[in-house]
């Protein structure tokens, strides 16, 4: 994703989570950080207008639009180990973590460098005692979230394969890269001039 | 901290935060992960009996004792950039992040590899809308938290220098390494036998 471009992540069928990670393109030491984002946004619930920050305190992404308004940035991507520990699976799937690790490896991102993802559409309420639950997403078919890149980025995105996170049914996610808004406007002006 | 040893972090004067990070000793690719810990403990509030997990889904630390019961694992360590952005400081202190980075560099930990810390005694309530606040710690003079290492670890620990986190006054923290409980018991038995 180049600076200014936008990424629209859509839940085509509803109730499906998509884990997203981001790194500065060409410098994978800079990564999307839940801890910095919670601090600078003074919230663990991010939606339209909110900024997502890197470990180096730069804004990597801005949420331009969000038809759901309920996402998670607390929980690490599901993984084979997680499926063994929480679900008791003997032959666990590789999960979001395995998908992200495989997709990012050719770009020089080691598995150990994958941080907590921004989990689009994931419904993780936090109780007054701090307890967290994983409930079905409230996203319906066609709901989406739109991110704008504030700098050149490497993005990892995967449909989530944790049964509890997706109301028991694993479904696809859709994504589309939209051009930078200013560039498109400038282009249209140039064409009409 | 070697496996079985325990680390007692004490707040000698009260209302003082101490940020803690942990890495597997000799393999700094394995680090204490807030995202895995929240998932496996089903809570963002960790206290006595709770386990703190690594990015590779291993238990690194167990909280053996905790006289406060209120700590934070959401917010990234304060840093020069954070002091510029949130406090408007022109000549910012290096903060917890800078302290940890300086202390860990000789052990091969790059600044970019420092994850969200376990912030002992930090009081960060989360509202029903997801908003987070930074309030004075509820710790009083002499309060402590005691961690047991489940494997050999490299620990980074620093007193926090963010005014809001420490009720406006920056104070020292104290720490002590206690021997492994079983080893001590076995030693006592051997001595009496």
């Amino acid at each position: 994703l180049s600076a200014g471009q936008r990424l629209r992540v859509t839940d085509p069928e509803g109730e499906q989570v998509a884990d997203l990670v981001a790194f500065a393109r060409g410098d994978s030491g800079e990564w999307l950080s839940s801890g910095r984002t919670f601090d600078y946004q003074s919230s663990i619930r991010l939606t339209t207008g909110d900024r997502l920050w890197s470990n180096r305190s730069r804004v990597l992404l801005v949420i331009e639009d969000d038809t759901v308004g309920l996402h998670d940035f607390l929980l690490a991507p599901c993984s084979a180990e997680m499926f063994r520990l929480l679900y008791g699976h003997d032959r666990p799937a590789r999960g979001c973590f395995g998908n992200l690790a495989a997709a990012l490896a050719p770009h020089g991102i080691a598995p150990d460098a994958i941080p907590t993802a921004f989990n689009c559409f994931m419904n993780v309420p936090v109780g007054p005692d701090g307890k967290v639950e994983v409930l079905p997403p409230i996203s319906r078919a066609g709901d989406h979230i739109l991110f704008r890149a504030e700098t050149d980025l490497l993005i990892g995105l995967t449909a989530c394969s944790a049964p509890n996170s997706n109301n028991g049914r694993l479904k696809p996610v859709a994504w589309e890269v939209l051009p930078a808004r200013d560039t498109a406007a400038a282009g249209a002006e140039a064409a009409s001039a």
Side-chain angles (χ1 to χ4, degrees), chain A:
Chain A
L1 211 60
S2 295
Q5 285 188 320
R6 292 161 305 145
L7 171 68
R8 182 163 55 204
V9 179
T10 300
D11 181 357
E13 302 185 25
E15 299 190 327
Q16 175 61 43
V17 169
D19 286 25
L20 179 146
V21 293
F23 300 85
R25 199 162 72 203
D27 185 357
S28 60
E30 185 168 17
W31 40 274
L32 182 61
S33 164
S34 56
R36 291 267 168 242
T37 300
F38 295 157
D39 200 15
Y40 292 132
Q41 299 303 128
S42 295
S43 180
I44 64 169
R45 296 275 175 246
L46 295 317
T47 186
T48 305
D50 286 331
R51 299 185 284 180
L52 306 183
W53 296 75
S54 81
N55 60 312
R56 295 186 195 159
S57 296
R58 281 203 308 160
V59 179
L60 297 189
L61 292 161
V62 175
I63 302 177
E64 273 206 355
D65 189 27
D66 177 10
T67 64
V68 178
L70 187 55
H71 314 280
D72 172 67
F73 206 5
L74 293 172
L75 302 185
C78 62
S79 66
E81 293 72 21
M82 184 277 240
F83 286 126
R84 279 194 201 95
L85 287 161
L86 294 187
Y87 287 88
H89 290 179
D90 284 337
R91 281 183 252 172
R94 68 183 188 177
C96 286
F97 183 82
N99 289 342
L100 292 169
L104 293 168
H107 301 278
I109 311 286
D112 285 332
I114 296 177
T116 297
F118 184 89
N119 304 309
C120 306
F121 316 125
M122 192 173 185
N123 181 1
V124 182
V126 179
D129 56 357
K131 297 288 181 219
V132 299
E133 286 183 283
V134 178
L135 298 182
I138 63 169
S139 50
R140 303 297 185 89
D143 271 329
H144 68 264
I145 182 169
L146 179 65
F147 303 94
R148 185 180 71 239
E150 293 295 285
T151 186
D152 293 350
L153 296 173
L154 174 67
I155 299 278
L157 180 73
T158 174
C160 173
S161 47
N164 286 1
S165 305
N166 302 289
N167 206 12
R169 197 167 68 84
L170 308 182
K171 307 165 287 301
V173 296
W175 59 273
E176 189 178 7
V177 174
L178 307 180
R181 198 179 291 278
D182 289 345
T183 305
E189 280 173 18
S192 68

